[in-house]
Amino acid sequence: MRRISPVLQQDGVDSDLISLIKTILAACREISFRVSQGELAGVLGSTLSENVQGETQKKLDVIANELLKEVILETGVVKAISSEEEDDIVAGNPRGRYLVTFDPLDGSSNTDINSLIGTIFSILPAPADKEADDASMFLQPGTAQVAAGYVLYGPSTMLALTTGKGTRMYTLDKTYGGFLLTEDKVTLPKYTSEFAINMSNQRFWQAPMQGYIQDLLLGKEGPRGKNYNMRWIAAMVGDVHRILCRGGIFAYPADNKDANKPYKLRLMYEANPMSLLIEQAGGLSITGTERILEIQPDDIHQRVAVILGSRHEVETCLAYHQKALSTN
């Protein structure tokens, strides 16, 4: 098993970018330890404040955010960071070459039940002609990402990472504190019989998604001609990890439960990095009408619909949406 640096060097990754990735992973190792201690460390439960998204912050949200922010800005190669837990961007080195966005603790509502959570991150090139406190420099499409990944805090701590040369899996070896390569080339199966979606929102979905899921539930007797199993972890990082391991489709579609918030997932902190990982493994990632990685962001906290996973299943779901558009 190889360590992460030689693997990235083999891919021709810039030394500053390798150093930045390793710094992010150092913070994730610390988060992993805090997570593993749970109630013993007094880190479970909620704070008395909300983040910019209007969500109650868990104690571990705050701890993870501060850890990542501190170590990333200390590298000197980062011009600014943007976090799901911060109202605005945080400026770094005005001459830094990279921008980092992250969800410090995806699925943090799972902390109190000892279920899967993780850290999601994305690295973008920093425009040289903008000031370090200019949030507009983050408004780049997902295709501009130079690296993306997540660290999953589960029975073992695992890293999924891409720098544009495929998606790889690493596992944290706690005996020496580093991540070792455990899967060199993640490849999603084209076909699947598993789907992940929050069924409690079914009545609020748009008609194409209603029809698509209903046909899956009809199983062998329905138009799809086979039985499907549903899986739902309630943390995007866990559901995407399962898909990268054995295929499947994950969806958090638009809904009309709250007219002011038709979408749940954040483009920059969740959708873009996960989409790059999925596409680099041979899958697809769409909103229902367009490729997620091609969306031009208009706000650092922008939300989007997400449908991603095994290629054939995502294409099938897309066909339901296209048919609905053509008949309107």
Side-chain angles (χ1 to χ4, degrees):
M1 294 182 185
R2 293 183 290 164
R3 301 188 184 193
I4 193 165
S5 291
V7 176
L8 295 178
Q9 289 167 358
Q10 172 189 303
D11 286 344
V13 177
D14 180 86
S15 59
D16 282 347
L17 182 55
I18 293 175
S19 178
L20 174 56
I21 291 170
K22 291 179 67 177
T23 298
I24 292 171
L25 296 181
C28 290
R29 288 198 301 270
E30 177 65 20
I31 295 168
S32 176
F33 174 74
R34 301 288 185 94
V35 168
S36 70
Q37 292 294 97
E39 191 64 53
L40 298 176
V43 296
L44 301 186
S46 301
T47 66
L48 299 177
S49 59
E50 293 183 344
N51 63 16
V52 67
Q53 316 292 340
E55 300 164 337
T56 300
Q57 290 180 303
K58 296 290 186 180
K59 293 178 183 177
L60 271 170
D61 279 324
V62 177
I63 293 169
N65 186 67
E66 290 303 314
L67 278 169
L68 284 161
K69 179 168 65 173
E70 181 178 345
V71 300
I72 290 171
L73 292 177
E74 284 179 352
T75 63
V77 300
V78 173
K79 194 166 188 174
I81 63 166
S82 181
S83 166
E84 183 181 317
E85 300 299 327
E86 300 278 346
D87 291 357
D88 302 303
I89 71 167
V90 181
N93 182 357
R95 294 178 297 279
R97 298 174 56 196
Y98 300 106
L99 306 173
V100 181
T101 74
F102 53 86
D103 180 350
L105 208 62
D106 180 67
S108 58
S109 61
N110 282 343
T111 56
D112 295 338
I113 61 168
N114 200 28
S115 188
L116 291 178
I117 52 178
T119 297
I120 308 171
F121 62 90
S122 168
I123 302 175
L124 294 159
D129 60 344
K130 293 184 182 292
E131 298 298 323
D133 60 355
D134 185 349
S136 69
M137 63 183 168
F138 282 89
L139 304 182
Q140 305 179 46
T143 52
Q145 295 173 103
V146 294
Y150 64 75
V151 175
L152 179 72
Y153 310 118
S156 62
T157 297
M158 295 192 69
L159 162 71
L161 177 68
T162 182
T163 56
K165 300 287 182 66
T167 295
R168 293 187 173 101
M169 291 281 191
Y170 301 81
T171 302
L172 177 62
D173 182 350
K174 295 182 180 180
T175 59
Y176 92 95
F179 285 87
L180 298 179
L181 181 66
T182 46
E183 187 167 356
D184 191 43
K185 184 175 176 58
V186 177
T187 304
L188 267 67
K190 184 177 180 180
Y191 299 91
T192 186
S193 57
E194 285 189 347
F195 68 99
I197 196 165
N198 186 349
M199 288 294 292
S200 67
N201 291 329
Q202 183 175 14
R203 65 192 185 280
F204 302 112
W205 298 335
Q206 296 172 337
M209 185 57 72
Q210 291 263 16
Y212 169 71
I213 295 296
Q214 184 59 42
D215 285 350
L216 298 188
L217 296 175
L218 290 173
K220 284 186 176 180
E221 293 73 27
R224 301 304 306 280
K226 65 178 180 179
N227 293 325
Y228 283 77
N229 289 323
M230 193 191 88
R231 300 287 185 263
W232 183 248
I233 295 174
M236 188 186 191
V237 67
D239 283 305
V240 170
H241 185 73
R242 184 187 59 253
I243 288 170
L244 286 173
C245 289
R246 67 188 194 201
I249 184 170
F250 167 91
Y252 216 118
D255 64 54
N256 60 16
K257 183 165 55 176
D258 182 343
N260 296 317
K261 294 181 179 179
Y263 311 119
K264 168 70 173 177
L265 299 178
R266 291 78 173 175
L267 176 61
M268 294 179 56
Y269 313 117
E270 296 163 319
N272 271 343
M274 293 306 204
S275 295
L276 189 62
L277 288 165
I278 288 290
E279 290 200 3
Q280 285 288 310
L284 290 179
S285 184
I286 61 171
T287 63
T289 59
E290 60 185 324
R291 182 186 178 209
I292 286 176
L293 290 176
E294 293 178 350
I295 295 173
Q296 176 59 51
D298 55 33
D299 185 85
I300 59 171
H301 296 300
Q302 181 176 345
R303 300 174 187 243
V304 294
V306 175
I307 304 166
L308 57 76
S310 295
R311 178 173 293 271
H312 177 263
E313 203 58 49
V314 175
E315 289 173 340
T316 302
C317 186
L318 176 61
Y320 280 73
H321 287 78
Q322 291 175 331
K323 182 179 179 181
L325 288 173
S326 66
T327 56
N328 288 338

